[in-house]
Amino acid sequence: QVQLVQSGAEVKKPGASVKVSCKASGYIFTTYAMHWVRQAPGQRLEWMGWINAGNGNTKYSQKFQGRVTITRDTSASTTYMELSSLRSEDTAVYYCARDFVVVPTASFYFDYWGQGTLVSVSS
Amino acid sequence: DIVMTQSPDSLAVSLGERATINCKSSQSVLYSSNNKNYLAWYQQKPGQPPKLLIYWASSRASGVPDRFSGSGSGTDFTLTISSLQAEDVAVYYCQQYYSTPCSFGQGTKLEIK
């Protein structure tokens, strides 16, 4: 069965960076795109960007452009999301979410989600 | 960017009764070339990630009970639960994937009356 297992909670100071991992199993990793979505306390879900796990191409939301980097390690079936220059407003649960269709197409709706990683930013 | 607005923000419905949640997009998410509405619905229970319920505005995802249905077109959409069960208590989100960045509604909290 498809599983996405994320790394554990992080506490960071303002200005630092955080890197969250998402290990996939139960399917061929390179055949689907992976997205990252965050949810700040009491806020709506917010899409950050995606990676084509097959060729490594990425696209980011303009809101996070320059601060977010999504990468993948095909040998480990793992996707990573790194967010830099953290501020208190980045405190949120970060999710990886698999795209519904196989690459090279991306549907931008999501059939499997990781359990979420809480990133807390506080001085 | 497309803004998604749901109504109501919260809803209390008796067990076995119908629950209706609305979602409005700031611009049409109907793609004329394929006549498809780029609209999905998710269910999120406390402490869990969202779960895909509906895509293409009315197609149920695998394993989703048939009491869940989606309807609407263009800018106005509805998620209906025909007969509310206790396990349906959750927050429901609509999402447009017509344009990037894809975007979500603010959520509707569904409770038992």
Side-chain angles (χ1 to χ4, degrees):
Chain A
Q1 73 283 22
V2 174
Q3 281 194 303
L4 303 177
V5 179
Q6 299 183 219
S7 49
E10 303 263 11
V11 179
K12 296 292 182 181
K13 293 197 181 302
S17 297
V18 68
K19 192 171 186 177
V20 180
S21 67
C22 169
K23 183 172 177 60
S25 61
Y27 70 98
I28 300 172
F29 176 72
T30 53
T31 57
Y32 289 86
M34 195 72 74
H35 301 257
W36 287 86
V37 177
R38 78 177 186 179
Q39 188 171 36
Q43 301 297 311
R44 65 185 69 197
L45 296 156
E46 186 173 34
W47 179 80
M48 301 179 68
W50 71 290
I51 185 166
N52 177 327
N55 61 20
N57 288 347
T58 56
K59 184 171 182 179
Y60 306 122
S61 169
Q62 194 71 18
K63 176 175 179 176
F64 301 100
Q65 193 78 38
R67 284 210 302 144
V68 69
T69 305
I70 299 174
T71 57
R72 98 287 193 222
D73 179 346
T74 57
S75 66
S77 298
T78 299
T79 307
Y80 302 91
M81 186 283 300
E82 184 170 20
L83 188 62
S84 63
S85 303
L86 290 169
R87 34 210 190 228
S88 58
E89 310 89 87
D90 294 317
T91 293
V93 175
Y94 290 76
Y95 294 102
C96 58
R98 195 187 78 165
D99 198 276
F100 191 85
V101 301
V102 297
V103 296
T105 312
S107 69
F108 284 79
Y109 54 97
F110 319 121
D111 57 355
Y112 290 95
W113 295 63
Q115 83 277 18
T117 296
L118 175 62
V119 175
S120 300
V121 183
S122 174
S123 54
Chain B
D1 296 359
I2 297 177
V3 177
M4 307 300 290
T5 304
Q6 293 179 226
S7 61
D9 289 333
S10 63
L11 180 64
V13 175
S14 301
L15 289 172
E17 295 300 304
R18 178 186 299 262
T20 301
I21 298 170
N22 301 300
C23 174
K24 190 174 185 69
S25 56
S26 61
Q27 63 189 77
S28 176
V29 298
L30 173 63
Y31 193 37
S32 56
S33 67
N34 60 10
N35 202 37
K36 287 188 170 184
N37 287 284
Y38 285 56
L39 191 285
W41 289 95
Y42 296 85
Q43 174 194 66
Q44 187 177 32
K45 296 181 179 180
Q48 296 184 18
K51 172 188 174 183
L52 179 66
L53 296 175
I54 302 284
Y55 56 98
W56 298 130
S58 60
S59 296
R60 259 188 309 275
S62 175
V64 174
D66 61 7
R67 64 180 181 273
F68 290 91
S69 64
S71 62
S73 186
T75 61
D76 293 281
F77 300 90
T78 300
L79 174 70
T80 301
I81 307 172
S82 60
S83 177
L84 189 70
Q85 305 299 303
E87 61 265 32
D88 300 335
V89 169
V91 179
Y92 292 83
Y93 295 93
C94 60
Q95 178 217 359
Q96 69 79 19
Y97 47 96
Y98 180 88
S99 66
T100 307
C102 62
S103 51
F104 295 82
Q106 81 277 17
T108 294
K109 187 175 184 179
L110 178 58
E111 300 173 313
I112 304 295
K113 186 186 290 183

